[in-house]
Amino acid sequence: MARTKQTAQKSTGVGGKVPRKQPATKAARKSDPRPKMPTIRERETQALDRLREMLMSAGSYSNLVMVAGRVFQKVPWLVREMEGQLEEMSVTRKKSSLIELVLAKIGQLVGEDHTLAREHGLPSKVWHYLAYTDLVLARVTDNTKQWAMYLLKDFPHTAETASLIDEEGRVLRKKLKTALKEVGLVAGVQTESEDDRIWFRITTSKKTEDRTKDMEKVYKAKPTLVVYYPGEPYFYSVPNMMEVLTSSMARCLGCVDSQELPLAGRCVASLRRLRLGRDRHGSDGPTGKARLDMDRF
């Protein structure tokens, strides 16, 4: 009789059937360690809450009006309308009410329909309002931080015609972003012009192939503030400023590099007066290649 080969089959279930894969239980789904990413609307709400905190820190009502005026500088009539709605209120109520009016208008500008933002020439992303408001508030309260002074090496002393401070701020912003890009960084740079000086707010992240994640990191990065008086061979920022930022700042101002000086304080204007006083008396001042361009003032 011919022998037949038999192979045993291992039973994998009742009646030899393969059991179905059971779906994850509710408890298992709850224990998923991966954090849930907030939606765009949730992020905007969080940003507006943060913006409310920033506006509340402006101090006096007049300071808040000035901050609102700078945020809506392209539509000054808008702030006047807001003030008009608050005429009969007390100063205390005016401040809280103005904050709510500002936030409501920004909420409209960053909503799903960006038509209003385009019509007014204003940003349509809430992060831009956060960053710029932070910069304006820093200008209003510049005596609450510790500032250091940096000497620009080989400062170009030229006889060029002085330009409008706002226009110069825009030009330097573009140059600084280019300088940071050349060293492999994605940057967020805001500028604010004030009389005879320009303020910078800088956040950076290392450039990768994921542009979206790069910008998220830029939004969350700790900002570095810089103050520059056009025509002078110095700028002011935090002590021990990152080397990549000092060198990029120097290049955007037409210099080879910069050096931190042993001079620090809590008020930029006072530091500048002290420095200029030493320069006039020839005490450890700038070299011949870094003279003060006093024609700018």
Side-chain angles (χ1 to χ4, degrees):
M1 179 184 292
R3 299 179 61 185
T4 58
K5 184 176 181 181
Q6 295 182 349
T7 54
Q9 293 185 351
K10 183 178 179 182
S11 175
T12 55
V14 179
K17 295 181 180 180
V18 179
R20 294 180 181 179
K21 184 177 181 181
Q22 296 296 320
T25 63
K26 188 174 182 180
R29 287 195 298 270
K30 285 185 177 181
S31 62
D32 189 346
R34 293 174 297 180
K36 181 182 177 182
M37 295 298 293
T39 64
I40 294 177
R41 180 58 59 187
E42 288 173 339
R43 287 201 296 268
E44 287 182 353
T45 301
Q46 292 170 2
L48 288 173
D49 289 341
R50 171 62 182 140
L51 189 55
R52 176 182 282 103
E53 295 174 1
M54 293 170 63
L55 292 172
M56 290 176 64
S57 70
S60 65
Y61 175 70
S62 59
N63 280 353
L64 180 60
V65 172
M66 188 210 63
V67 172
R70 294 306 297 162
V71 171
F72 299 119
Q73 55 188 284
K74 293 185 178 180
V75 282
W77 55 267
L78 188 59
V79 179
R80 290 196 295 270
E81 283 188 357
M82 292 179 182
E83 288 187 275
Q85 298 178 43
L86 311 176
E87 285 183 351
E88 304 300 324
M89 295 183 182
S90 64
V91 174
T92 303
R93 287 190 61 197
K94 276 185 177 182
K95 182 177 178 180
S96 60
S97 298
L98 180 57
I99 289 175
E100 295 307 317
L101 289 173
V102 169
L103 292 174
K105 181 56 64 177
I106 292 176
Q108 293 176 6
L109 293 167
V110 302
E112 294 181 1
D113 185 358
H114 296 163
T115 303
L116 184 62
R118 287 193 296 268
E119 288 178 354
H120 294 329
L122 294 171
S124 59
K125 293 184 179 179
V126 68
W127 178 82
H128 293 287
Y129 292 97
L130 270 173
Y132 187 68
T133 301
D134 185 39
L135 177 59
V136 175
L137 286 171
R139 176 169 75 81
V140 174
T141 58
D142 74 329
N143 61 347
T144 62
K145 304 178 185 295
Q146 186 72 6
W147 295 91
M149 177 179 285
Y150 294 81
L151 171 67
L152 292 163
K153 298 180 180 179
D154 291 325
F155 183 75
H157 180 79
T158 61
E160 64 181 59
T161 304
S163 60
L164 294 175
I165 194 78
D166 286 335
E167 177 61 26
E168 187 156 4
R170 287 189 288 270
V171 171
L172 291 178
R173 174 179 178 270
K174 185 176 180 180
K175 288 183 177 180
L176 180 56
K177 292 190 73 173
T178 299
L180 292 167
K181 184 178 180 180
E182 290 173 350
V183 294
L185 295 176
V186 179
V189 179
Q190 292 76 38
T191 56
E192 166 74 348
S193 301
E194 175 198 17
D195 299 330
D196 57 352
R197 60 184 180 177
I198 300 171
W199 288 71
F200 298 80
R201 182 186 186 274
I202 310 165
T203 51
T204 61
S205 177
K206 188 176 180 180
K207 185 178 180 181
T208 68
E209 295 181 356
D210 193 327
R211 172 72 177 176
T212 302
K213 288 186 177 180
D214 288 347
M215 293 311 299
E216 286 288 339
K217 291 179 181 178
V218 168
Y219 299 158
K220 296 177 181 179
K222 183 179 179 180
T224 298
L225 298 175
V226 177
V227 179
Y228 172 64
Y229 290 82
E232 297 183 7
Y234 305 104
F235 67 84
Y236 308 81
S237 188
V238 294
N240 304 312
M241 188 179 179
M242 290 174 57
E243 184 177 352
V244 67
L245 294 184
T246 58
S247 59
S248 296
M249 194 71 203
R251 288 199 307 278
C252 95
L253 295 172
C255 302
V256 296
D257 205 351
S258 62
Q259 173 187 350
E260 184 174 356
L261 299 178
L263 192 63
R266 299 186 70 83
C267 178
V268 172
S270 298
L271 273 179
R272 178 181 180 244
R273 286 193 294 269
L274 179 60
R275 180 71 263 172
L276 295 183
R278 292 185 180 183
D279 290 344
R280 292 190 182 97
H281 291 87
S283 173
D284 67 350
T287 64
K289 291 185 179 180
R291 300 191 302 274
L292 291 180
D293 189 355
M294 298 306 293
D295 295 336
R296 301 295 297 263
F297 301 94

